[in-house]
Amino acid sequence: MQTKPNILPSLKLVLSFFVLLSLNAVKAQPFLKAHPHINPYRYEIVKEMTFDNGAVTSASPLASMVGAAMMKDGGNAFDAAIATQLSLAVVFPGAGNIGGGGFMLARKANGELIGIDYREAAPSKASRDMYLDEKGDPIPEKSTRGTTASGIPGSIAGIISTHAYAKLPFAKLIEPAIEFAEFGYVISEREAKGLNSEKANFLKHSSAPSAFTQKEVWKAGDTLIQPELAATLKRIQKNGLAGFYEGETAAYIVKEMGHTGGYITLEDLKKYTPKFRKPLEFDYKGHHIISFAPPSSGGILIAQMMQMIAPFNVEKMGLNTLESVSLMVEAQRRAYADRAEHMGDPDYWKVPTKTLISNSYAQARMSDYKAGEAGSSKTTLAGQVHESEQTTHFSVIDKEGNMVAITTTLNDTYGNKTIVAGAGFLLNNEMDDFSIKPGVPNMYGALGGEANAIQPGKRMLSSMTPTLVTVNNKPYISIGTPGGTTIPNQVYEGLVNIIDHKMSIKQAIDATRFHHQWIPDVIAVESDFPEDIENGLKAMGYKTMRRGKFGRMDGIQISAQGKRVAAGDKRGDDSVAGY
Ligand code: GLY
């Protein structure tokens, strides 16, 4: 005879198991449980919205929402920026990072400017010709793939330095990132495509399989859980800088170096320090523009280009007309020629910043400009001066008027494709931003010279251009974008769209873009660039090239009524949040 099982005790057991599980989840997810509107398994992209108090715009809806929540919880723009950046390291792994570096530019409501350089640095074993073979030719992939390509990561040191300006405890700001890593988040179609297309590279360049390679094929809606990254973030939560630059995490990084012959040592990690850089400032048509100093080239480039075109009535020329595009391209040609010759890490090379950003130099550089005629990079060389693609940008403005603009990078998408075994994060391939051989272009086709040659401890020249604008000494815009050497041109065009063409920040960000970087002597245009203007440029003698979209510009503008108008680029999953 069969006996009927008494299901009551086992039901009780199951119920108490679930009660325990949900209590544990509340305990384990203090941030997400306290902010139920942030649901990592169901979220939407918001491209443009106006907020009364504070706003964030970034490459990920979840990261933007986390930043906004920190401000609502009593934090300021610095709290929001720290929490957003740490969240991006989990929910936007292609560029958000703890294994890379970046630049933090801020203007406090009282007018104080802050620039924190946490760019990666060359390891102590680095040397000028480390990427060349015996014939003096670049060794394929050595500066772009695997651990040999990595500079010493700066992101965690930069974030911790930024915390001096924040209000909330660091342990709270890193908590959302830990919860996203530990309990997972749902990936977008874009992320699924990225992970699938890099799977073979991840396996080839890492010593062990990782969270990114756990699935055969990723699809939109899958949940990505990163337990090793969660454990690393918890070590940082507990031990601060030492949680990354020393102990277990540092040991994992150095062990991973051993897999493909990388150069970073325990001593390199321990010695890494972020540097404060005085932000660059210049005026353009009633606007005061603040941007990043070397080792970024971005601030100098936009100062040069905008001052070169300032005497012209660009508004009257019109958006994307032959006249306005050729004028703006000729400014790009001249400024990028100077980039190759004069710019590098100012602690290792005397960058003539003061001259390069002076209005008189800009006018002298344009003295041979002839409207209606295509210039040539054979005859336009760097000026004589007497006296340096995958990245992510986010912007924050809080209710007091503190503005933060951060651009951070692993260099290429998913960096050097190496996930540190045991620690669960990607490493950068930033060493390729040095001139590995003067005269040989890097992955962005950019040339460099002695100013940007490799030396131990030196920081590679960057194009990242986090930028702020004030009018009448009042906060106005926080803006920036990823895109390698196209970054300064994108910011330049975005600002001209707003200032000269009177576009809204969203229109300015979404508008089609063009890019000239001196060498190669060609104008790259996005696929929606007007065909008749491209044909007109060719008829003038320019070479043009159609390429896919470039950049994902994110910005916030303060309206005349004091509202925060936040916009995310149409080109990505970029999304805004605020309150
Ligand atoms: N890795 C891109 C840049 O820093 O310009």
Side-chain angles (χ1 to χ4, degrees), residues 499-540:
I499 298 170
D500 293 88
H501 299 304
K502 314 284 184 281
M503 294 169 116
S504 73
I505 190 148
K506 177 69 174 143
Q507 290 167 332
I509 281 174
D510 285 350
T512 191
R513 312 205 234 269
F514 52 89
H515 168 73
H516 191 291
Q517 62 176 42
W518 178 55
I519 303 282
D521 192 350
V522 57
I523 307 174
V525 297
E526 284 190 313
S527 41
D528 57 348
F529 188 84
E531 218 168 294
D532 56 330
I533 303 301
E534 188 187 3
N535 289 336
L537 289 167
K538 282 185 188 155
M540 282 172 75

Side-chain angles (χ1 to χ4, degrees), residues 58-60 85 88 92-97 100-103 118-120 155 296 389-394 406-415 428-430 433 443-444 461-466 480-488 490-491 550-554 572 574:
S58 82
S60 149
Q85 186 169 351
L88 283 170
F92 187 52
N97 68 81
F103 299 123
Y118 52 96
R119 181 75 163 158
E120 300 90 329
S155 289
S296 178
E389 177 159 357
Q390 185 60 282
T391 299
T392 190
H393 174 85
F394 61 96
I406 293 184
T407 315
T408 175
T409 187
L410 289 167
N411 198 16
D412 208 352
T413 311
Y414 303 104
N428 68 82
N429 60 345
E430 220 70 60
D433 268 352
M443 71 162 78
Y444 301 108
L461 183 62
S462 171
S463 300
M464 294 188 285
T465 315
T481 185
T485 49
T486 69
I487 295 173
Q490 293 183 51
V491 173
F550 40 93
R552 290 168 63 154
M553 203 184 299
D554 290 330
D574 301 54

